[in-house]
Amino acid sequence: MPPIVACAKTTPPRDRVRDVAAGLFADRGLDGFKMRDLAARLGVSVMTPYRYFENKEAILACVRAHGFACLADTLDGVAGEGALEQRVAALAAAYGAFALAEPARYGLMFGPAPAQSPGAVEVRRQEARVEAAFTVHAHGLSEAGLRCAEPATLGRLLWSTLHGVAVLHLGGQLPQVDLGGALRHAARALTIACAGVAA
Amino acid sequence: MPPIVACAKTTPPRDRVRDVAAGLFADRGLDGFKMRDLAARLGVSVMTPYRYFENKEAILACVRAHGFACLADTLDGVAGEGALEQRVAALAAAYGAFALAEPARYGLMFGPAPAQSPGAVEVRRQEARVEAAFTVHAHGLSEAGLRCAEPATLGRLLWSTLHGVAVLHLGGQLPQVDLGGALRHAARALTIACAGVAA
């Protein structure tokens, strides 16, 4: 399994704990994750990670929040130009590339997590950024003169469809389909739906 | 948390091990699952579960395969009659109801699992049944005179979209939206996409 996030030596210590922990979560799961194993991977004393995080639940929340923040940044970076079909296809391709680049992190982001952990508020904040990014794209599609649904609704539909394609692919439920092809098809269907959903 | 599957006293022993194990997996995760805890919940000796399953991975595979089999049965039972929008809405409602009825089991079905475990072949077989059920529904939509994509492709799109809506809802990523409303909207978009996707 490739490392979840490459860590430069100049990475701030808290971020380094987060990134190394992400790999350990991916390998062992939430229950198999031990703070002493994390310290060993970091090459530090057992107590050092506690300088930065209250407990392992707080670390997982930080991993998830960072993942959603990166996803929001990715979506914000997709150009909102060109014809409708091109815009939706660009959004779909960027989403798929994000999921495929680090499937273990993607699984952690959407996987089970304690709702009340320290850091859960930040997770929600970053999740809302992703939703907002989709809404912005939906606004752009609406401004292109399409008979769109309300942008927030359409944004959620975009996210749901692309996420569904990605997780069925990553979960092995659609072994005969490549992700790129499935996303292109979804983008095409979404384009048509965007044009007519409020008709 | 409600029990994953209610077990009648007449349930065959292997099925009872599977169903009680499903609850334990939901509570503890794959790594936290201990065969001795399973035996305790069943009220049997530590070795008894091994009469029916090689190991915990084999049990998880059985839980997952059974879940996909139930999902396939659910989808097969959706009536393929009425107007296009009604058919798609019925499919969406049935899918959402399945996911909401037992979210813990739904999470196990699509969650991480060892690919090489005993029983993985049966999981794949039942997953393929779900995919086939969607394809059958897509055939039905096609026969309604719509300019549909190839039914297998359209079936996968149906599944992906509904699954994406369900898992974002269950994961808490869309806290301000009720699942029924999101599914109705997705069904509407899919109806439009079905009508035009091959245009």
Side-chain angles (χ1 to χ4, degrees):
Chain A
M1 182 179 297
I4 288 242
V5 177
C7 296
K9 286 192 176 174
T10 54
T11 303
R14 190 175 193 276
D15 293 354
R16 187 159 177 268
V17 174
R18 175 197 69 204
D19 295 343
V20 172
L24 190 57
F25 277 121
D27 291 345
R28 308 275 174 85
L30 177 60
D31 293 315
F33 182 104
K34 304 295 174 205
M35 291 294 273
R36 63 175 172 274
D37 295 335
L38 173 62
R41 283 198 186 192
L42 286 162
V44 299
S45 81
V46 174
M47 292 310 292
T48 302
Y50 289 101
R51 282 191 213 161
Y52 306 102
F53 294 98
E54 192 176 330
N55 51 32
K56 72 176 180 179
E57 286 77 15
I59 302 177
L60 178 62
C62 185
V63 169
R64 299 178 79 226
H66 182 240
F68 283 111
C70 291
L71 177 54
D73 290 344
T74 298
L75 297 172
D76 288 342
V78 175
E81 295 164 7
L84 173 68
E85 186 153 1
Q86 288 173 321
R87 292 188 196 192
V88 178
L91 199 61
Y95 196 89
F98 181 90
L100 261 194
E102 299 181 36
R105 179 168 75 158
Y106 193 76
L108 287 175
M109 286 165 56
F110 292 95
Q116 300 302 322
S117 70
V121 170
E122 179 63 13
V123 176
R124 284 281 166 269
R125 202 174 73 81
Q126 297 299 338
E127 286 173 345
R129 276 192 63 213
V130 174
E131 188 177 353
F134 274 110
T135 304
V136 166
H137 281 288
H139 264 292
L141 300 175
S142 179
E143 284 163 10
L146 294 162
R147 296 169 301 165
C148 279
E150 195 240 327
T153 306
L154 183 57
R156 288 181 211 117
L157 178 68
L158 290 170
W159 188 7
S160 297
T161 304
L162 300 180
H163 181 60
V165 172
V167 293
L168 287 184
H169 176 83
L170 293 176
Q173 272 85 33
L174 300 177
Q176 297 169 324
V177 190
D178 75 289
L179 180 57
L183 284 169
R184 277 193 300 278
H185 188 81
R188 184 137 188 250
L190 283 166
T191 302
I192 294 160
C194 287
V197 79
Chain B
M1 183 179 298
I4 290 245
V5 176
C7 297
K9 285 191 179 175
T10 53
T11 303
R14 190 175 192 275
D15 293 354
R16 188 160 175 268
V17 174
R18 175 197 69 204
D19 295 342
V20 171
L24 189 57
F25 277 122
D27 291 346
R28 308 275 175 85
L30 177 60
D31 292 315
F33 183 105
K34 304 293 174 207
M35 291 295 275
R36 62 175 173 273
D37 295 335
L38 173 62
R41 282 199 186 190
L42 286 161
V44 299
S45 81
V46 174
M47 292 310 293
T48 302
Y50 289 101
R51 281 190 214 160
Y52 305 102
F53 294 99
E54 192 175 330
N55 52 31
K56 72 175 179 178
E57 286 77 15
I59 302 177
L60 178 61
C62 185
V63 169
R64 299 178 79 227
H66 182 239
F68 284 110
C70 292
L71 178 54
D73 290 345
T74 298
L75 298 172
D76 287 343
V78 175
E81 294 163 9
L84 172 68
E85 186 154 0
Q86 289 174 323
R87 292 188 195 192
V88 179
L91 198 60
Y95 196 90
F98 181 91
L100 262 194
E102 299 182 36
R105 179 168 74 158
Y106 193 75
L108 287 176
M109 285 165 57
F110 291 96
Q116 300 302 323
S117 68
V121 171
E122 179 64 12
V123 176
R124 285 281 166 269
R125 202 173 74 82
Q126 298 299 338
E127 285 173 345
R129 276 191 64 213
V130 174
E131 189 178 353
F134 274 109
T135 304
V136 166
H137 281 287
H139 265 291
L141 300 175
S142 180
E143 284 163 8
L146 294 163
R147 297 168 299 165
C148 279
E150 193 240 329
T153 305
L154 184 58
R156 286 180 213 121
L157 179 68
L158 290 169
W159 188 7
S160 297
T161 304
L162 301 179
H163 181 60
V165 172
V167 292
L168 287 185
H169 177 83
L170 294 176
Q173 273 84 33
L174 300 177
Q176 298 169 323
V177 189
D178 75 290
L179 180 57
L183 285 168
R184 277 194 298 278
H185 188 81
R188 182 134 190 253
L190 283 166
T191 302
I192 294 161
C194 288
V197 81

